[in-house]
Amino acid sequence: MTTTEDVLKGKYPAKAHAKKVAGYIKSKGGDITGTLYLEGQKTRMIEDNDEPMPFRQRRYFYYLTGCALPDCYFTYDMKTEKSTLFIPPIDPDEVMWSGLPMTPEEALKAYDIDAVLPTTEVNAELTSSSTPKTTIYAIPNQVSDHITFLSYSAKDFELLKSAIEICRVVKTPYEIALIRHANAISTAAHTAVMRAVSTAANERDLEALFLKSCIERGARDQAYHSVVAAGTAAATLHYVRNDQPLAGKLNLLLDAGAEVACYASDITRTFPLSGAFSVESAAVYDVVLRMQKECIAMLRAGVRWDDVHAHAHRVAIAGLLRLGILKGVAEDIFAAGTSVAFFPHGLGHYLGMDTHDSGGNPDYADPDPMFRYLRVRGTLPAGSVITVEPGIYFCRFIIEPYLRDPKHKGFIDEGVLEKYWDVGGVRIEDNILITDSGYDNLTPTPKEVHEMEKIIRGEA
Ligand code: GLY
Ligand code: MN
Ligand code: MN
């Protein structure tokens, strides 16, 4: 069996990605003799300072090069299938501060590229190719002022961006291996936080531990800002303060994921600070875990994500009816959209180089609040990676308007609800690879109550 390690011993499949993007452009009636042109992210300085900003490679560029160096350029001749990477030449003044840069020979070895030239050669290459100049494909606002496309008879600033965004949806085995590896590191870090949670004093202790656990395993970057939310802070979906004391609170919601070689993991776990869920917390956790498990069980190539999201709402409604927080007929509650008060976000999103990855076709203007924040609409192809992250939250700001709204208030039992505010919020989030026959869960982080409670109590 090929392991993740075996796959990652090879090179990032930049050439296969370039061919796929070119194939997409051809399938849309593009110029089969065209040239793809991309620029990497530039070194940008912090305002009024001599330090550079933290560097993050442009994803469009990385997808076709696998190169995370700043200040680079790339061309791909669709006719000859030749790819060329342009890297910064030696700047003697810089060597003193930063050491020697990568040489073209080293770059050729490191990346899946046909030729490597210094960036001083970009314009010469663009004007001197042996193929007749036809269409240049580039991304708007990602072409430097000094670049000349004069020798091309046509310029297309539309197709390349959307081609890459769409091609990114279906992952290659190498990309899946990177996401799996990021998940393994994040799982170790989540587990370290579970082990520390009963003795830590503040959310920031746990954020520090998560970051340390990732960095010492080789993942210096995070895919996004961690949410380390204790108690009622868990009801704020993208809580980022991470600086409040833990004393007197019930649960921790930890939404945190390492990034490995530009690929994300995105994992949420919710667990009791004391090592044992309160009765109300356990009841809500049970509902959310059912939502997640039933939705994951529906997954396979061709499933409509809208249907999976709607199913999550149906499971939430059944669960909240059992708890007595909701009252009435399940179908009426679904039709009214009352469950949106407790589960206001989408079930999940594509995951890849970006945490909220491209190609999902969301409709943020959808008049139906149940589907407005769903970041993926339509069917899921085999090879896509999607998060499944249902949640139930007790957020006064969101729920109170529902308590006053005649359309919803008859479905909510305010007396029962009163017992649940301190639960804060529960979210459980895994990263799932869609396959033809079903799915593969890439997230091995413990989520069964007995597993998490044992780790917190130091018994596992
Ligand atoms: N961590 C961001 C999200 O779950 O979408
Ligand atoms: Mn997510
Ligand atoms: Mn998340």
Side-chain angles (χ1 to χ4, degrees), residues 79 116 166 287 326-327 448 454 458:
K79 190 167 161 218
V116 180
I166 289 162
V287 176
L326 290 179
K327 54 187 183 178
E448 295 298 333
K454 260 185 158 176

Side-chain angles (χ1 to χ4, degrees), residues 83-99:
S83 59
T84 307
L85 173 68
F86 301 85
I87 62 173
I90 284 197
D91 173 356
D93 286 345
E94 252 313 295
V95 176
M96 181 175 112
W97 304 106
S98 310

Side-chain angles (χ1 to χ4, degrees), residues 295-301 303 305 308 380 386 388 432 434 438-439:
C295 289
I296 291 175
M298 291 171 75
L299 298 179
R300 62 185 300 142
V303 74
W305 187 241
V308 187
L380 309 182
I386 193 152
V388 181
I432 310 289
I434 303 299
Y439 64 89

Side-chain angles (χ1 to χ4, degrees), residues 223-227 237-238 255-257 265-268 345 348-349 355-356 375 387 389 427 429:
Y224 53 93
H225 291 287
S226 307
V227 176
L237 299 182
H238 285 170
D255 182 350
S265 56
D266 182 5
I267 302 172
T268 308
H345 60 76
H349 48 84
T355 303
H356 296 157
R375 294 179 193 270
T387 66
E389 49 177 307
R427 178 164 66 254
E429 176 175 27

Side-chain angles (χ1 to χ4, degrees), residues 304-429:
R304 257 186 89 228
W305 187 241
D306 312 53
D307 296 339
V308 187
H309 176 71
H311 186 73
H313 273 275
R314 291 185 198 283
V315 180
I317 290 165
L320 294 172
L321 280 169
R322 268 197 314 277
L323 303 191
I325 295 172
L326 290 179
K327 54 187 183 178
V329 177
E331 255 326 292
D332 297 346
I333 297 170
F334 182 88
T338 309
S339 50
V340 176
F342 301 93
F343 175 32
H345 60 76
L347 181 63
H349 48 84
Y350 285 140
L351 181 82
M353 284 186 283
D354 288 309
T355 303
H356 296 157
D357 214 30
S358 60
N361 289 316
D363 176 8
Y364 298 127
D366 193 325
D368 185 345
M370 190 180 281
F371 293 91
R372 189 174 303 151
Y373 300 115
L374 196 54
R375 294 179 193 270
V376 175
R377 304 299 292 266
T379 57
L380 309 182
S384 59
V385 176
I386 193 152
T387 66
V388 181
E389 49 177 307
I392 288 184
Y393 309 88
F394 298 93
C395 174
R396 289 186 189 274
F397 183 80
I398 296 176
I399 294 173
E400 278 172 357
Y402 282 77
L403 299 177
R404 295 191 292 272
D405 186 335
K407 185 175 166 196
H408 300 290
K409 66 180 188 189
F411 294 130
I412 304 173
D413 188 322
E414 277 194 63
V416 177
L417 176 60
E418 207 46 50
K419 293 191 290 181
Y420 285 87
W421 294 112
D422 285 345
V423 173
V426 171
R427 178 164 66 254
I428 309 171
E429 176 175 27

